[in-house]
Amino acid sequence: AKNTNATGTRQREGGKINQSLLTLSQVIQSLSMPKGKRPSHINYRDSKLTRILRPSLEGNAVMAILCCATASRMYVEETKSTLRFASRAKLVQTSAKKNEVMDDRTLIRRLQKELADAKEALKQMEVEKDRSKVSVPELQSS
């Protein structure tokens, strides 16, 4: 507030935004820890921002975070804080999976294909099994 000279409603809005960003930073810090050291509970409900971003932060998304920094001496602390946040955010690992919505016909076709593939693989295994049972004298008599 000291750098922006905001008062009244703008100052309260700025405070809420900073509170949300602090909560996001805490969530990112927890997520950037190795799985063994990560807290068992990550509180996404402390701000609307983290509640909205929860599905993306939990891992089923490709994530990109843009951080803005300035060389101005007036904002050195904010820039250092932003860069620390960015370095922690780089450590968050996600594993995005494609969400598919299929109608019944498409699902049936997919399952039929999987079944046909499984039957073919079983046939191949049986052929290999039969080949391995062939003994040496049988080969010589041929």
Side-chain angles (χ1 to χ4, degrees), residues 32-89:
S32 67
M33 293 179 180
K35 291 212 180 208
K37 294 182 179 182
R38 187 178 295 176
S40 60
H41 175 70
I42 298 172
N43 198 356
Y44 293 96
R45 296 187 313 179
D46 281 350
S47 80
K48 288 182 182 180
L49 178 64
T50 52
R51 250 183 275 144
I52 291 168
L53 293 176
R54 182 179 185 165
S56 298
L57 294 171
E58 284 182 332
N60 194 18
V62 176
M63 195 168 55
I65 297 177
L66 298 173
C67 295
C68 298
T70 180
S72 171
R73 288 189 175 145
M74 190 169 152
Y75 300 104
V76 169
E77 288 305 312
E78 288 85 349
T79 299
K80 284 173 33 179
S81 174
T82 299
L83 294 175
R84 279 193 298 270
F85 171 80
S87 67
R88 282 193 306 269

Short mmCIF file of all heavy atoms in Angstrom, two decimals, residues 32-89:
data_model
loop_
_atom_site.label_atom_id
_atom_site.label_comp_id
_atom_site.label_asym_id
_atom_site.label_seq_id
_atom_site.Cartn_x
_atom_site.Cartn_y
_atom_site.Cartn_z
N SER A 32 5.89 -28.45 -3.85
CA SER A 32 7.25 -28.57 -4.38
C SER A 32 8.12 -29.50 -3.55
O SER A 32 9.21 -29.87 -3.99
CB SER A 32 7.90 -27.19 -4.49
OG SER A 32 8.11 -26.64 -3.20
N MET A 33 7.64 -29.90 -2.38
CA MET A 33 8.40 -30.83 -1.54
C MET A 33 8.34 -32.23 -2.13
O MET A 33 7.37 -32.59 -2.79
CB MET A 33 7.82 -30.86 -0.13
CG MET A 33 7.96 -29.60 0.63
SD MET A 33 7.18 -29.82 2.25
CE MET A 33 7.48 -28.24 2.95
N PRO A 34 9.39 -33.04 -1.88
CA PRO A 34 9.33 -34.44 -2.32
C PRO A 34 8.15 -35.14 -1.66
O PRO A 34 7.73 -34.78 -0.56
CB PRO A 34 10.65 -35.03 -1.84
CG PRO A 34 11.53 -33.88 -1.54
CD PRO A 34 10.64 -32.71 -1.23
N LYS A 35 7.59 -36.15 -2.33
CA LYS A 35 6.37 -36.80 -1.84
C LYS A 35 6.50 -37.31 -0.42
O LYS A 35 5.56 -37.26 0.35
CB LYS A 35 5.96 -37.92 -2.78
CG LYS A 35 5.50 -37.38 -4.11
CD LYS A 35 4.45 -38.22 -4.72
CE LYS A 35 4.05 -37.59 -6.04
NZ LYS A 35 2.75 -37.84 -6.45
N GLY A 36 7.64 -37.78 -0.02
CA GLY A 36 7.83 -38.29 1.34
C GLY A 36 7.81 -37.21 2.40
O GLY A 36 7.43 -37.44 3.54
N LYS A 37 8.23 -36.01 2.05
CA LYS A 37 8.31 -34.91 3.02
C LYS A 37 7.12 -33.96 2.92
O LYS A 37 6.96 -33.08 3.75
CB LYS A 37 9.59 -34.11 2.79
CG LYS A 37 10.84 -34.90 3.09
CD LYS A 37 12.07 -34.05 2.90
CE LYS A 37 13.31 -34.86 3.23
NZ LYS A 37 14.52 -34.06 3.10
N ARG A 38 6.27 -34.17 1.92
CA ARG A 38 5.12 -33.31 1.70
C ARG A 38 4.11 -33.48 2.83
O ARG A 38 3.86 -34.59 3.29
CB ARG A 38 4.48 -33.69 0.37
CG ARG A 38 3.37 -32.78 -0.08
CD ARG A 38 2.83 -33.18 -1.41
NE ARG A 38 3.84 -33.03 -2.44
CZ ARG A 38 3.69 -33.38 -3.69
NH1 ARG A 38 2.57 -33.93 -4.09
NH2 ARG A 38 4.65 -33.19 -4.56
N PRO A 39 3.48 -32.39 3.29
CA PRO A 39 2.45 -32.52 4.32
C PRO A 39 1.29 -33.38 3.82
O PRO A 39 0.98 -33.40 2.63
CB PRO A 39 1.97 -31.09 4.57
CG PRO A 39 2.82 -30.20 3.77
CD PRO A 39 3.69 -31.01 2.88
N SER A 40 0.66 -34.11 4.75
CA SER A 40 -0.45 -34.98 4.35
C SER A 40 -1.67 -34.18 3.91
O SER A 40 -2.49 -34.66 3.14
CB SER A 40 -0.82 -35.92 5.49
OG SER A 40 -1.21 -35.17 6.62
N HIS A 41 -1.80 -32.95 4.40
CA HIS A 41 -2.94 -32.11 4.03
C HIS A 41 -2.44 -30.77 3.49
O HIS A 41 -1.64 -30.10 4.14
CB HIS A 41 -3.84 -31.87 5.24
CG HIS A 41 -4.96 -30.92 4.97
ND1 HIS A 41 -6.03 -31.24 4.16
CD2 HIS A 41 -5.16 -29.64 5.36
CE1 HIS A 41 -6.84 -30.21 4.09
NE2 HIS A 41 -6.34 -29.23 4.80
N ILE A 42 -2.90 -30.42 2.33
CA ILE A 42 -2.57 -29.12 1.74
C ILE A 42 -3.86 -28.31 1.71
O ILE A 42 -4.84 -28.74 1.12
CB ILE A 42 -1.98 -29.28 0.32
CG1 ILE A 42 -0.69 -30.08 0.40
CG2 ILE A 42 -1.75 -27.92 -0.32
CD1 ILE A 42 -0.11 -30.46 -0.94
N ASN A 43 -3.85 -27.17 2.37
CA ASN A 43 -5.08 -26.40 2.54
C ASN A 43 -5.32 -25.47 1.36
O ASN A 43 -4.82 -24.35 1.29
CB ASN A 43 -5.03 -25.59 3.84
CG ASN A 43 -6.40 -25.14 4.26
OD1 ASN A 43 -7.37 -25.35 3.55
ND2 ASN A 43 -6.48 -24.52 5.42
N TYR A 44 -6.12 -25.95 0.43
CA TYR A 44 -6.49 -25.16 -0.75
C TYR A 44 -7.63 -24.20 -0.43
O TYR A 44 -7.90 -23.29 -1.19
CB TYR A 44 -6.96 -26.08 -1.88
CG TYR A 44 -5.87 -26.96 -2.45
CD1 TYR A 44 -5.71 -28.26 -2.01
CD2 TYR A 44 -5.04 -26.50 -3.45
CE1 TYR A 44 -4.73 -29.08 -2.55
CE2 TYR A 44 -4.06 -27.30 -4.00
CZ TYR A 44 -3.91 -28.58 -3.54
OH TYR A 44 -2.94 -29.38 -4.08
N ARG A 45 -8.32 -24.42 0.69
CA ARG A 45 -9.54 -23.67 0.96
C ARG A 45 -9.31 -22.31 1.62
O ARG A 45 -10.26 -21.61 1.91
CB ARG A 45 -10.48 -24.51 1.82
CG ARG A 45 -10.93 -25.75 1.10
CD ARG A 45 -11.97 -26.52 1.81
NE ARG A 45 -11.67 -26.73 3.22
CZ ARG A 45 -12.45 -27.36 4.06
NH1 ARG A 45 -13.58 -27.87 3.63
NH2 ARG A 45 -12.12 -27.50 5.31
N ASP A 46 -8.06 -21.93 1.83
CA ASP A 46 -7.80 -20.65 2.48
C ASP A 46 -8.04 -19.45 1.57
O ASP A 46 -8.11 -18.32 2.04
CB ASP A 46 -6.37 -20.60 3.01
CG ASP A 46 -6.24 -21.34 4.33
OD1 ASP A 46 -7.28 -21.72 4.91
OD2 ASP A 46 -5.10 -21.54 4.79
N SER A 47 -8.13 -19.67 0.26
CA SER A 47 -8.41 -18.56 -0.64
C SER A 47 -9.18 -19.05 -1.85
O SER A 47 -9.12 -20.22 -2.21
CB SER A 47 -7.11 -17.87 -1.09
OG SER A 47 -6.50 -18.59 -2.13
N LYS A 48 -9.91 -18.15 -2.45
CA LYS A 48 -10.67 -18.50 -3.65
C LYS A 48 -9.72 -18.88 -4.79
O LYS A 48 -10.01 -19.77 -5.57
CB LYS A 48 -11.55 -17.33 -4.09
CG LYS A 48 -12.73 -17.11 -3.19
CD LYS A 48 -13.59 -15.97 -3.70
CE LYS A 48 -14.75 -15.72 -2.74
NZ LYS A 48 -15.59 -14.62 -3.19
N LEU A 49 -8.58 -18.21 -4.87
CA LEU A 49 -7.62 -18.47 -5.94
C LEU A 49 -7.13 -19.92 -5.90
O LEU A 49 -7.14 -20.62 -6.91
CB LEU A 49 -6.43 -17.51 -5.82
CG LEU A 49 -5.31 -17.68 -6.83
CD1 LEU A 49 -5.81 -17.40 -8.23
CD2 LEU A 49 -4.15 -16.75 -6.48
N THR A 50 -6.74 -20.39 -4.72
CA THR A 50 -6.23 -21.77 -4.63
C THR A 50 -7.36 -22.78 -4.80
O THR A 50 -7.13 -23.87 -5.30
CB THR A 50 -5.49 -22.01 -3.30
OG1 THR A 50 -6.31 -21.61 -2.21
CG2 THR A 50 -4.17 -21.26 -3.28
N ARG A 51 -8.57 -22.42 -4.39
CA ARG A 51 -9.72 -23.32 -4.62
C ARG A 51 -9.97 -23.49 -6.11
O ARG A 51 -10.23 -24.59 -6.58
CB ARG A 51 -10.97 -22.76 -3.95
CG ARG A 51 -11.39 -23.59 -2.75
CD ARG A 51 -12.66 -23.09 -2.13
NE ARG A 51 -12.28 -22.05 -1.19
CZ ARG A 51 -12.98 -20.96 -0.95
NH1 ARG A 51 -14.12 -20.76 -1.56
NH2 ARG A 51 -12.57 -20.08 -0.09
N ILE A 52 -9.87 -22.39 -6.85
CA ILE A 52 -10.09 -22.44 -8.30
C ILE A 52 -8.97 -23.21 -8.99
O ILE A 52 -9.20 -23.99 -9.91
CB ILE A 52 -10.20 -21.02 -8.88
CG1 ILE A 52 -11.49 -20.36 -8.39
CG2 ILE A 52 -10.14 -21.02 -10.39
CD1 ILE A 52 -11.56 -18.87 -8.66
N LEU A 53 -7.74 -23.02 -8.54
CA LEU A 53 -6.58 -23.64 -9.18
C LEU A 53 -6.30 -25.07 -8.70
O LEU A 53 -5.42 -25.73 -9.23
CB LEU A 53 -5.33 -22.79 -8.93
CG LEU A 53 -5.31 -21.42 -9.59
CD1 LEU A 53 -4.08 -20.65 -9.18
CD2 LEU A 53 -5.38 -21.56 -11.10
N ARG A 54 -7.03 -25.55 -7.71
CA ARG A 54 -6.76 -26.86 -7.12
C ARG A 54 -6.64 -28.00 -8.15
O ARG A 54 -5.66 -28.74 -8.11
CB ARG A 54 -7.82 -27.21 -6.08
CG ARG A 54 -7.54 -28.53 -5.41
CD ARG A 54 -8.57 -28.85 -4.37
NE ARG A 54 -8.20 -30.08 -3.69
CZ ARG A 54 -8.70 -30.48 -2.57
NH1 ARG A 54 -9.63 -29.75 -1.97
NH2 ARG A 54 -8.31 -31.60 -2.01
N PRO A 55 -7.60 -28.17 -9.07
CA PRO A 55 -7.46 -29.28 -10.02
C PRO A 55 -6.16 -29.20 -10.84
O PRO A 55 -5.52 -30.21 -11.09
CB PRO A 55 -8.68 -29.14 -10.92
CG PRO A 55 -9.67 -28.35 -10.13
CD PRO A 55 -8.85 -27.44 -9.26
N SER A 56 -5.77 -28.00 -11.19
CA SER A 56 -4.53 -27.85 -11.96
C SER A 56 -3.31 -28.10 -11.09
O SER A 56 -2.35 -28.74 -11.53
CB SER A 56 -4.45 -26.44 -12.55
OG SER A 56 -5.52 -26.23 -13.42
N LEU A 57 -3.34 -27.61 -9.89
CA LEU A 57 -2.19 -27.77 -9.00
C LEU A 57 -2.00 -29.20 -8.53
O LEU A 57 -0.89 -29.63 -8.25
CB LEU A 57 -2.33 -26.85 -7.78
CG LEU A 57 -2.28 -25.35 -8.07
CD1 LEU A 57 -2.65 -24.57 -6.82
CD2 LEU A 57 -0.90 -24.94 -8.56
N GLU A 58 -3.09 -29.96 -8.44
CA GLU A 58 -3.00 -31.34 -7.97
C GLU A 58 -2.37 -32.27 -8.99
O GLU A 58 -2.01 -33.38 -8.66
CB GLU A 58 -4.37 -31.86 -7.55
CG GLU A 58 -4.81 -31.31 -6.23
CD GLU A 58 -6.15 -31.85 -5.79
OE1 GLU A 58 -6.98 -32.21 -6.64
OE2 GLU A 58 -6.35 -31.92 -4.57
N GLY A 59 -2.27 -31.85 -10.23
CA GLY A 59 -1.50 -32.66 -11.15
C GLY A 59 -2.13 -33.02 -12.46
O GLY A 59 -1.43 -33.45 -13.36
N ASN A 60 -3.41 -32.90 -12.64
CA ASN A 60 -3.98 -33.32 -13.92
C ASN A 60 -4.06 -32.13 -14.87
O ASN A 60 -5.11 -31.80 -15.39
CB ASN A 60 -5.36 -33.93 -13.73
CG ASN A 60 -5.81 -34.66 -14.98
OD1 ASN A 60 -5.00 -35.00 -15.82
ND2 ASN A 60 -7.08 -34.88 -15.11
N ALA A 61 -2.90 -31.51 -15.09
CA ALA A 61 -2.85 -30.37 -16.00
C ALA A 61 -1.41 -30.10 -16.38
O ALA A 61 -0.49 -30.47 -15.67
CB ALA A 61 -3.44 -29.13 -15.34
N VAL A 62 -1.25 -29.45 -17.50
CA VAL A 62 0.05 -28.92 -17.87
C VAL A 62 0.04 -27.49 -17.35
O VAL A 62 -0.87 -26.72 -17.63
CB VAL A 62 0.26 -28.96 -19.39
CG1 VAL A 62 1.57 -28.31 -19.76
CG2 VAL A 62 0.21 -30.39 -19.89
N MET A 63 1.02 -27.15 -16.55
CA MET A 63 0.98 -25.89 -15.83
C MET A 63 2.05 -24.93 -16.36
O MET A 63 3.17 -25.34 -16.65
CB MET A 63 1.23 -26.17 -14.35
CG MET A 63 0.88 -25.06 -13.44
SD MET A 63 0.85 -25.52 -11.69
CE MET A 63 2.43 -26.22 -11.41
N ALA A 64 1.69 -23.68 -16.50
CA ALA A 64 2.63 -22.62 -16.85
C ALA A 64 2.39 -21.46 -15.91
O ALA A 64 1.25 -21.06 -15.69
CB ALA A 64 2.44 -22.19 -18.30
N ILE A 65 3.45 -20.96 -15.33
CA ILE A 65 3.34 -19.82 -14.42
C ILE A 65 4.25 -18.72 -14.94
O ILE A 65 5.43 -18.96 -15.21
CB ILE A 65 3.74 -20.21 -12.98
CG1 ILE A 65 2.77 -21.25 -12.45
CG2 ILE A 65 3.76 -18.99 -12.08
CD1 ILE A 65 3.09 -21.76 -11.07
N LEU A 66 3.70 -17.55 -15.10
CA LEU A 66 4.48 -16.39 -15.53
C LEU A 66 4.72 -15.50 -14.32
O LEU A 66 3.79 -15.18 -13.59
CB LEU A 66 3.72 -15.59 -16.60
CG LEU A 66 3.42 -16.32 -17.89
CD1 LEU A 66 2.54 -15.45 -18.77
CD2 LEU A 66 4.69 -16.70 -18.61
N CYS A 67 5.96 -15.12 -14.13
CA CYS A 67 6.31 -14.24 -13.02
C CYS A 67 6.97 -13.00 -13.59
O CYS A 67 7.85 -13.10 -14.44
CB CYS A 67 7.25 -14.94 -12.05
SG CYS A 67 6.48 -16.34 -11.24
N CYS A 68 6.55 -11.86 -13.11
CA CYS A 68 7.10 -10.59 -13.59
C CYS A 68 8.06 -10.03 -12.55
O CYS A 68 7.77 -10.04 -11.36
CB CYS A 68 5.98 -9.58 -13.84
SG CYS A 68 4.84 -10.14 -15.11
N ALA A 69 9.19 -9.56 -13.02
CA ALA A 69 10.20 -8.98 -12.14
C ALA A 69 10.63 -7.64 -12.72
O ALA A 69 10.48 -7.40 -13.93
CB ALA A 69 11.39 -9.92 -12.01
N THR A 70 11.18 -6.80 -11.87
CA THR A 70 11.65 -5.50 -12.32
C THR A 70 13.04 -5.24 -11.76
O THR A 70 13.41 -5.78 -10.71
CB THR A 70 10.69 -4.38 -11.88
OG1 THR A 70 11.20 -3.13 -12.36
CG2 THR A 70 10.54 -4.29 -10.39
N ALA A 71 13.79 -4.44 -12.45
CA ALA A 71 15.13 -4.08 -12.00
C ALA A 71 15.10 -2.83 -11.11
O ALA A 71 16.14 -2.40 -10.61
CB ALA A 71 16.04 -3.85 -13.19
N SER A 72 13.93 -2.28 -10.89
CA SER A 72 13.80 -1.07 -10.09
C SER A 72 14.17 -1.34 -8.63
O SER A 72 13.75 -2.33 -8.04
CB SER A 72 12.36 -0.56 -10.16
OG SER A 72 12.16 0.48 -9.25
N ARG A 73 14.96 -0.44 -8.05
CA ARG A 73 15.35 -0.59 -6.64
C ARG A 73 14.16 -0.46 -5.71
O ARG A 73 14.18 -0.96 -4.60
CB ARG A 73 16.40 0.46 -6.30
CG ARG A 73 17.72 0.17 -6.91
CD ARG A 73 18.79 1.10 -6.39
NE ARG A 73 20.06 0.71 -6.93
CZ ARG A 73 21.01 1.55 -7.24
NH1 ARG A 73 20.85 2.84 -7.05
NH2 ARG A 73 22.15 1.11 -7.73
N MET A 74 13.14 0.18 -6.18
CA MET A 74 11.94 0.41 -5.37
C MET A 74 11.23 -0.91 -5.05
O MET A 74 10.57 -1.03 -4.03
CB MET A 74 11.01 1.35 -6.13
CG MET A 74 9.87 1.88 -5.36
SD MET A 74 9.13 3.19 -6.36
CE MET A 74 7.48 3.11 -5.80
N TYR A 75 11.39 -1.92 -5.92
CA TYR A 75 10.66 -3.18 -5.75
C TYR A 75 11.60 -4.38 -5.58
O TYR A 75 11.27 -5.49 -5.99
CB TYR A 75 9.76 -3.41 -6.97
CG TYR A 75 8.73 -2.33 -7.16
CD1 TYR A 75 8.89 -1.37 -8.14
CD2 TYR A 75 7.61 -2.26 -6.34
CE1 TYR A 75 7.94 -0.37 -8.32
CE2 TYR A 75 6.66 -1.27 -6.51
CZ TYR A 75 6.83 -0.33 -7.50
OH TYR A 75 5.90 0.66 -7.66
N VAL A 76 12.74 -4.18 -4.96
CA VAL A 76 13.72 -5.26 -4.79
C VAL A 76 13.13 -6.42 -4.01
O VAL A 76 13.25 -7.58 -4.41
CB VAL A 76 15.01 -4.73 -4.12
CG1 VAL A 76 15.92 -5.87 -3.71
CG2 VAL A 76 15.74 -3.78 -5.05
N GLU A 77 12.48 -6.15 -2.90
CA GLU A 77 11.94 -7.23 -2.06
C GLU A 77 10.85 -8.02 -2.79
O GLU A 77 10.80 -9.24 -2.71
CB GLU A 77 11.40 -6.68 -0.73
CG GLU A 77 12.48 -6.23 0.23
CD GLU A 77 13.50 -7.34 0.53
OE1 GLU A 77 13.08 -8.49 0.82
OE2 GLU A 77 14.70 -7.06 0.47
N GLU A 78 9.98 -7.31 -3.51
CA GLU A 78 8.93 -7.98 -4.26
C GLU A 78 9.52 -8.86 -5.37
O GLU A 78 9.06 -9.97 -5.60
CB GLU A 78 7.94 -6.97 -4.87
CG GLU A 78 7.03 -6.31 -3.87
CD GLU A 78 7.66 -5.08 -3.21
OE1 GLU A 78 8.87 -4.85 -3.36
OE2 GLU A 78 6.92 -4.36 -2.52
N THR A 79 10.56 -8.37 -6.01
CA THR A 79 11.20 -9.13 -7.08
C THR A 79 11.87 -10.38 -6.52
O THR A 79 11.75 -11.47 -7.08
CB THR A 79 12.23 -8.25 -7.83
OG1 THR A 79 11.53 -7.15 -8.41
CG2 THR A 79 12.94 -9.03 -8.91
N LYS A 80 12.57 -10.25 -5.40
CA LYS A 80 13.20 -11.42 -4.76
C LYS A 80 12.15 -12.44 -4.35
O LYS A 80 12.31 -13.64 -4.57
CB LYS A 80 14.03 -10.98 -3.56
CG LYS A 80 15.33 -10.33 -3.97
CD LYS A 80 16.16 -9.70 -2.86
CE LYS A 80 16.14 -10.31 -1.52
NZ LYS A 80 17.01 -9.61 -0.55
N SER A 81 11.06 -11.97 -3.79
CA SER A 81 9.98 -12.87 -3.39
C SER A 81 9.38 -13.59 -4.60
O SER A 81 9.11 -14.78 -4.56
CB SER A 81 8.90 -12.07 -2.65
OG SER A 81 7.80 -12.88 -2.37
N THR A 82 9.20 -12.86 -5.68
CA THR A 82 8.66 -13.44 -6.92
C THR A 82 9.59 -14.51 -7.47
O THR A 82 9.15 -15.58 -7.89
CB THR A 82 8.43 -12.34 -7.97
OG1 THR A 82 7.48 -11.40 -7.44
CG2 THR A 82 7.91 -12.91 -9.27
N LEU A 83 10.88 -14.24 -7.46
CA LEU A 83 11.85 -15.21 -7.98
C LEU A 83 11.93 -16.45 -7.08
O LEU A 83 12.08 -17.57 -7.59
CB LEU A 83 13.22 -14.56 -8.14
CG LEU A 83 13.28 -13.45 -9.20
CD1 LEU A 83 14.64 -12.77 -9.20
CD2 LEU A 83 12.96 -14.01 -10.57
N ARG A 84 11.80 -16.29 -5.77
CA ARG A 84 11.75 -17.46 -4.87
C ARG A 84 10.51 -18.30 -5.17
O ARG A 84 10.57 -19.52 -5.23
CB ARG A 84 11.76 -17.01 -3.41
CG ARG A 84 13.13 -16.67 -2.88
CD ARG A 84 13.13 -16.54 -1.36
NE ARG A 84 12.27 -15.47 -0.89
CZ ARG A 84 12.66 -14.21 -0.70
NH1 ARG A 84 13.91 -13.86 -0.94
NH2 ARG A 84 11.83 -13.30 -0.27
N PHE A 85 9.38 -17.62 -5.36
CA PHE A 85 8.15 -18.32 -5.70
C PHE A 85 8.32 -19.09 -7.01
O PHE A 85 7.94 -20.25 -7.12
CB PHE A 85 7.00 -17.31 -5.84
CG PHE A 85 5.74 -17.91 -6.38
CD1 PHE A 85 4.89 -18.62 -5.56
CD2 PHE A 85 5.41 -17.76 -7.72
CE1 PHE A 85 3.72 -19.17 -6.07
CE2 PHE A 85 4.26 -18.31 -8.24
CZ PHE A 85 3.41 -19.02 -7.40
N ALA A 86 8.91 -18.46 -8.02
CA ALA A 86 9.10 -19.11 -9.32
C ALA A 86 10.01 -20.33 -9.20
O ALA A 86 9.75 -21.36 -9.82
CB ALA A 86 9.68 -18.11 -10.32
N SER A 87 11.05 -20.24 -8.39
CA SER A 87 11.95 -21.39 -8.24
C SER A 87 11.25 -22.54 -7.54
O SER A 87 11.49 -23.71 -7.87
CB SER A 87 13.23 -20.99 -7.51
OG SER A 87 12.96 -20.67 -6.17
N ARG A 88 10.35 -22.26 -6.59
CA ARG A 88 9.58 -23.33 -5.95
C ARG A 88 8.55 -23.90 -6.92
O ARG A 88 8.33 -25.11 -6.97
CB ARG A 88 8.87 -22.80 -4.69
CG ARG A 88 9.77 -22.66 -3.50
CD ARG A 88 8.96 -22.44 -2.23
NE ARG A 88 8.02 -21.34 -2.32
CZ ARG A 88 8.27 -20.08 -1.97
NH1 ARG A 88 9.46 -19.75 -1.53
NH2 ARG A 88 7.35 -19.16 -2.07
N ALA A 89 7.93 -23.03 -7.71
CA ALA A 89 6.90 -23.48 -8.65
C ALA A 89 7.50 -24.41 -9.70
O ALA A 89 6.81 -25.33 -10.18
CB ALA A 89 6.23 -22.28 -9.32
#
